[in-house]
Structures are given as C-alpha cells and as structure tokens.
Amino acid sequence: MQLENLTSFIGTEVKSIDLREPVSDDDFAVLRDALNQRSVLLFRGQSIDESQHVAFSRRFGPLLGHVLTQFLKKEHPEVYVLSNVSENGKPIGNHKEGWNWHSDLSYKAEPSMGALLYALEVPPVEGDTFFASMHAAYEALADDMKARIRHMTATHSYANYYGKAFADRNPLTPEQLAATPNVVHPLVRTHPETGRLSLYVGEDVVKQIDGLPAEESTALLAELNAHAISPEFSYRHKWLAGDLLVWDNRCTMHRATPYDDNVYRRVMHRATPYDDNVYRRVMHRTTPYDDNVYRRVMHRTTVAGDRPF
Ligand code: OGA
Ligand code: MN
C-alpha cells in the first residue's frame, strides 16, 4: 500500500491495494489515520461487487440507509444508487443527487461519519465531484469571524434540500417528512477523532443560522459557504469506472457537477457509515474522606458542550 497526496490540503490516493480482499487491521489503521488527516481517500482500478463494497465500508462504522428507499439495492440495502439510468421505466438511482455543496445526511440528528462512493459507469467528460476541506476553511477564517460563529448553530432540513433540488418530482410523502425532521447542528464542529475544528455549513440543506434575523442569517450563510468552497481548499475528482472514493463527512463538503445526461450513463454506488463515535463518554467519581474531621469545599462551573460531535 502506498499513499500519495492529491492536493496540499485534502485528498490522498492509496495505491497497490485490492479491495476485493479483506484489509488487515494494521492496514486499516493506516487508512483510518490517513482519512483523519487528509479527509478524502482515492482507490483507483477496483472491481468490487456489492458485498465487498459493503464489507469494506462496514470497517468504518455501521451503515446507514436512506429515506428514498426506492434507490437502495434490494439485496444490499446498505447500497444507495445515484444514477440517470432507468430500467423498465423506473430510475435505478437518484439522479442529480448532491449537485450542490453538502455533507451527507447532515439533516439527521446523528449524521454520517463518511461515505464510500464507487463508480460503475461514468461519462467521459464532466460528472466530476468537488470536495472541500472544512478544516482548511475554518482555519483560514479571520479571528473575529471564528469568535463570532464559534458557538452558533444552524438548522439543517432535508425538506428544504429536496424542495430545491427535486422541485420537478413528487413531493416527499408524509412518512418521508416525518422521518426527516429539521435538526440543529453546531456551525463549528469538533472532529471526534482528531479534535480539529471545522466549518459545518452547506447549500440548501442548511436552512438558516439560528438566532439571527432572516436577512442576517442568509447573508452570513452565503458568506461562509462562499468562503468554504474556495478552490484552494478543494479537490476536483475526475472519475474513472473502478474508482472508489472515501470521504470524511465530519470535515468536508462535496458537490457533483452536471454532465450530458441525455448521452451518457452514470451509475454510482454509495455506502454511508454512521458516526458511532459521536459521543465520547468520560466518567469520573469522587473518593470518600474523613468528613467528620476535614472540610472540603469545591466550586464548579459547567461548560455547555458543543457536542454531539
Ligand atoms: C454522494 C454524492 C456526488 C456525485 O454520493 O453523496 O453527493 O458526484 N455524490 O455523484
Ligand atoms: Mn453527497
């Protein structure tokens, strides 16, 4: 296994590894560490089937499904399909998914840890995916902006995203709406493994920054989104069939780009690990002492956590 960085801030290509074979614990520890440091891992030239894709993805955490259950593979419901292809008059995957900047499943109370997207068929031109480092974006903010937003929260809304991205489709059913209530997340989150801070924003799925007048919220969100997607923090991936990309949704955003969907087919399979490291549990206890003889007086202040991250 060899590792080669793709850009200065984000992305590492992993070479000489065949993901049809189980990855040893030692190699997996190297991959996990590389993902924590570099946020995106690229494996080219793979030929994995669905169960191998699922097995490798599970190493990163338990896998999440999707509210649009029609796009989950029947035999492997951990696999979510993105595609413009229809079979027997039915789309086999969600087309135009993620054509704006987002972090996957940020609309859930406990969002994804990352995603593993495998390219089965890709157009020869366009249909690329951009990734941006939200660590780099946060760290490049001016100090007064860092201080201003450090403890702010934002409301993430799947309904808001769906309404904008898929305005031409049937609206979400009452069941789908009930399964995707709006959620509140910190605007600046802490990476649960490295402790590094990052910006947690997004287009469309992030409906508002909480506690601000609507205009101010819209303006601040636009400013942060524009900053977050600066080319200097990003990597543009040109897909080849057989590419598997793994990304860390705790500290990146990404977006797909359009392509000539009348001419070309694009078929992508995604598995989406859940962040089972959301809460870090630390316990403590006090030991007894001779309380007939000694006095013990302690004062405590209690800092609100910005977790669940
Ligand atoms: C995703 C996604 C982008 C693409 O799989 O989560 O946003 O290029 N995909 O298909
Ligand atoms: Mn996505």
Side-chain angles (χ1 to χ4, degrees), residues 119-158:
L120 288 100
E121 293 183 65
V122 291
V125 284
E126 303 297 338
D128 303 341
T129 311
F130 283 95
F131 292 88
S133 165
M134 294 302 101
H135 286 318
Y138 178 75
E139 286 159 13
L141 286 172
D143 285 346
D144 57 345
M145 180 62 97
K146 281 185 187 155
R148 179 178 174 208
I149 66 171
R150 178 68 182 87
H151 297 293
M152 284 184 163
T153 62
T155 299
H156 294 231
S157 164
Y158 186 68

Side-chain angles (χ1 to χ4, degrees), residues 84-155:
N84 64 327
V85 175
S86 286
E87 277 168 11
N88 307 318
K90 272 198 178 161
I92 64 165
N94 198 3
H95 187 28
K96 303 190 179 180
E97 171 75 299
W99 283 21
N100 48 17
W101 288 96
H102 66 282
S103 168
D104 298 313
L105 309 187
S106 77
Y107 53 82
K108 292 178 77 83
E110 293 181 1
S112 65
M113 170 266 150
L116 294 94
L117 188 64
Y118 182 56
L120 288 100
E121 293 183 65
V122 291
V125 284
E126 303 297 338
D128 303 341
T129 311
F130 283 95
F131 292 88
S133 165
M134 294 302 101
H135 286 318
Y138 178 75
E139 286 159 13
L141 286 172
D143 285 346
D144 57 345
M145 180 62 97
K146 281 185 187 155
R148 179 178 174 208
I149 66 171
R150 178 68 182 87
H151 297 293
M152 284 184 163
T153 62
T155 299

Side-chain angles (χ1 to χ4, degrees), residues 73-298:
K73 295 296 278 190
K74 292 278 165 304
E75 314 77 60
H76 294 279
E78 305 90 343
V79 175
Y80 176 65
V81 184
L82 291 78
S83 185
N84 64 327
V85 175
S86 286
E87 277 168 11
N88 307 318
K90 272 198 178 161
I92 64 165
N94 198 3
H95 187 28
K96 303 190 179 180
E97 171 75 299
W99 283 21
N100 48 17
W101 288 96
H102 66 282
S103 168
D104 298 313
L105 309 187
S106 77
Y107 53 82
K108 292 178 77 83
E110 293 181 1
S112 65
M113 170 266 150
L116 294 94
L117 188 64
Y118 182 56
L120 288 100
E121 293 183 65
V122 291
V125 284
E126 303 297 338
D128 303 341
T129 311
F130 283 95
F131 292 88
S133 165
M134 294 302 101
H135 286 318
Y138 178 75
E139 286 159 13
L141 286 172
D143 285 346
D144 57 345
M145 180 62 97
K146 281 185 187 155
R148 179 178 174 208
I149 66 171
R150 178 68 182 87
H151 297 293
M152 284 184 163
T153 62
T155 299
H156 294 231
S157 164
Y158 186 68
N160 202 59
Y161 163 66
Y162 190 95
K164 291 191 180 187
F166 307 126
D168 53 340
R169 298 191 195 168
N170 289 337
L172 292 170
T173 63
E175 293 73 27
Q176 289 170 328
L177 280 171
T180 52
N182 290 356
V183 298
V184 169
H185 290 310
L187 205 49
V188 178
R189 62 182 292 186
T190 308
H191 195 288
E193 290 184 82
T194 66
R196 222 173 144 193
L197 298 179
S198 69
L199 203 52
Y200 201 34
V201 286
E203 297 174 327
D204 300 346
V205 70
V206 181
K207 200 175 171 191
Q208 68 187 42
I209 297 177
D210 303 319
L212 297 180
E215 269 174 36
E216 205 182 318
S217 157
T218 306
L220 180 57
L221 192 55
E223 181 182 349
L224 293 173
N225 275 330
H227 168 81
I229 62 175
S230 312
E232 57 187 299
F233 313 135
S234 62
Y235 164 66
R236 178 179 192 149
H237 186 62
K238 291 197 138 328
W239 291 93
L240 296 172
D243 285 355
L244 176 78
L245 268 188
V246 184
W247 61 85
D248 189 335
N249 274 318
R250 302 167 298 184
C251 57
T252 60
M253 286 206 290
H254 58 280
R255 81 172 168 90
T257 57
Y259 56 97
D260 191 343
D261 54 5
N262 288 316
V263 176
Y264 301 119
R265 291 165 56 102
R266 191 171 189 269
V267 183
M268 316 289 280
H269 282 184
R270 187 181 86 192
T272 319
Y274 163 78
D275 191 352
D276 61 352
N277 198 10
V278 181
Y279 302 103
R280 283 196 192 166
R281 294 177 181 84
V282 178
M283 296 204 291
H284 56 277
R285 77 172 177 91
T286 310
T287 58
Y289 55 97
D290 191 340
D291 53 4
N292 290 318
V293 176
Y294 302 119
R295 292 161 57 99
R296 189 174 188 269
V297 183
M298 321 287 280

Side-chain angles (χ1 to χ4, degrees), residues 19 48-58 76 78-79:
L19 296 174
I48 49 174
D49 61 23
E50 286 164 25
S51 54
Q52 290 158 343
H53 184 185
V54 167
F56 181 54
S57 303
R58 279 222 177 96
H76 294 279
E78 305 90 343
V79 175

